[in-house]
Amino acid sequence: MIEFNTANPQSKLAAVAIQYDLNPNSVMVRKDGAIKKPADLAGKTILGQPFNASRKLFPAFAKAQGFDGSGVKWENVAPDIGDTRFVKGDFDAAAYFFFTGLLNLKARGLTPDQITVFRFSDYGLKSYGNGLIANAKSMQDNPDAMKAFVKATTRGWVDAIADPRAGAAAIKAREPLAHEEIEFERLQLIVDGTMKTAETRANGWGAATPTRLQATIDETVAAFGLKSSLAVADIWTDRFLPPAVDRKLKA
């Protein structure tokens, strides 16, 4: 969104709620490999497609960890084939949302206890993760609908955070082909790894602070090499959030 707003100043989008308080981007390596710390990734081969968010934010991660990431060789391989090849040892590391990577690799025989996860949020990055994004027309022409949508989404996530098992059952009911146990595991990883945070407990689901929003701008601009002068008001509005009492975590 920040990249889009920089390139399209007349058609800016805005986040109306933060979904992942902690950024889920990461790089994963095998525990039995030579990479033991982030700086060891310098000059290595990493699986990650050009559209991969973890790849795009990697320069900010490298900078935060004090190593030169420009020498990394990125392997643009289709995710399903790439996952299999990473498990076989064809690449030194792989860039993923941490919960996607853990489940994808587990399905191919590499269990979480065999993987070291360098989560960007654990290694210096302050950026928010995903959020609900809206265009100006929807916010201006249908503010009541936008408020209702954000309220419903908030209620859904607050309930899923409190009871991921029920959340997985809801996914299964909506999409019969979904594997309920896998979706339960995915929700647990998402909830515990991105949502049950001190800031979310203090401010409620969906909220954002100016400091973290500015960090999200700064880290994205630096990592993507953007020429941007965006301000927090150019990417965020809280006017559609429901009252704090409706956003408070239950557990």
Side-chain angles (χ1 to χ4, degrees):
M1 185 190 70
I2 291 169
E3 184 178 36
F4 178 87
N5 284 3
T6 299
N8 302 274
Q10 304 306 314
S11 305
K12 290 177 183 174
L13 307 173
V16 294
I18 299 299
Q19 180 166 305
Y20 299 149
D21 182 64
L22 291 182
N23 195 314
N25 287 290
S26 74
V27 170
M28 298 183 177
V29 301
R30 292 176 297 278
K31 282 188 178 178
D32 61 1
I35 299 171
K36 304 302 181 184
K37 59 185 185 298
D40 295 337
L41 292 164
K44 296 299 192 294
T45 300
I46 306 179
L47 171 66
Q49 302 75 25
F51 57 81
N52 182 306
S54 298
R55 171 176 171 172
K56 298 189 80 169
L57 279 176
F58 184 82
F61 166 66
K63 180 180 179 182
Q65 287 302 297
F67 71 92
D68 183 2
S70 63
V72 163
K73 179 183 178 182
W74 289 97
E75 291 285 349
N76 179 19
V77 181
D80 54 344
I81 298 172
D83 293 341
T84 300
R85 290 185 59 190
F86 172 68
V87 171
K88 290 173 58 179
D90 290 352
F91 314 123
D92 298 306
Y96 300 98
F97 272 17
F98 76 92
F99 47 82
T100 300
L102 288 173
L103 293 178
N104 286 2
L105 297 177
K106 181 180 178 181
R108 288 162 177 79
L110 195 65
T111 56
D113 62 307
Q114 297 174 293
I115 301 169
T116 296
V117 182
F118 299 126
R119 290 186 53 186
F120 293 0
S121 61
D122 292 332
Y123 288 90
L125 267 66
K126 305 298 183 185
S127 301
Y128 285 116
N130 290 17
L132 304 184
I133 308 302
N135 60 32
K137 180 175 176 59
S138 65
M139 291 186 285
Q140 293 170 2
D141 295 355
N142 299 291
D144 290 340
M146 184 62 64
K147 286 183 178 180
F149 174 72
V150 176
K151 181 178 180 179
T153 304
T154 300
R155 178 178 175 182
W157 271 116
V158 169
D159 286 349
I161 291 168
D163 189 351
R165 178 67 72 181
I171 293 172
K172 180 67 174 180
R174 177 63 178 84
E175 177 47 71
L177 295 179
H179 190 296
E180 187 171 337
E181 198 60 32
I182 291 176
E183 296 309 321
F184 171 57
E185 188 174 2
R186 191 191 317 278
L187 273 174
Q188 282 191 306
L189 289 169
I190 291 172
V191 166
D192 293 341
T194 73
M195 293 183 173
K196 279 188 175 180
T197 67
E199 286 198 15
T200 305
R201 291 187 185 282
N203 302 321
W205 188 90
T209 67
T211 300
R212 292 276 309 281
L213 288 165
Q214 187 62 55
T216 303
I217 294 173
D218 295 342
E219 291 170 1
T220 304
V221 166
F224 289 26
L226 303 176
K227 293 182 179 180
S228 175
S229 58
L230 292 176
V232 167
D234 293 318
I235 68 164
W236 166 255
T237 178
D238 62 1
R239 68 181 185 272
F240 300 106
L241 287 176
V245 66
D246 293 332
R247 295 184 287 105
K248 183 178 178 60
L249 300 190
K250 299 177 179 179

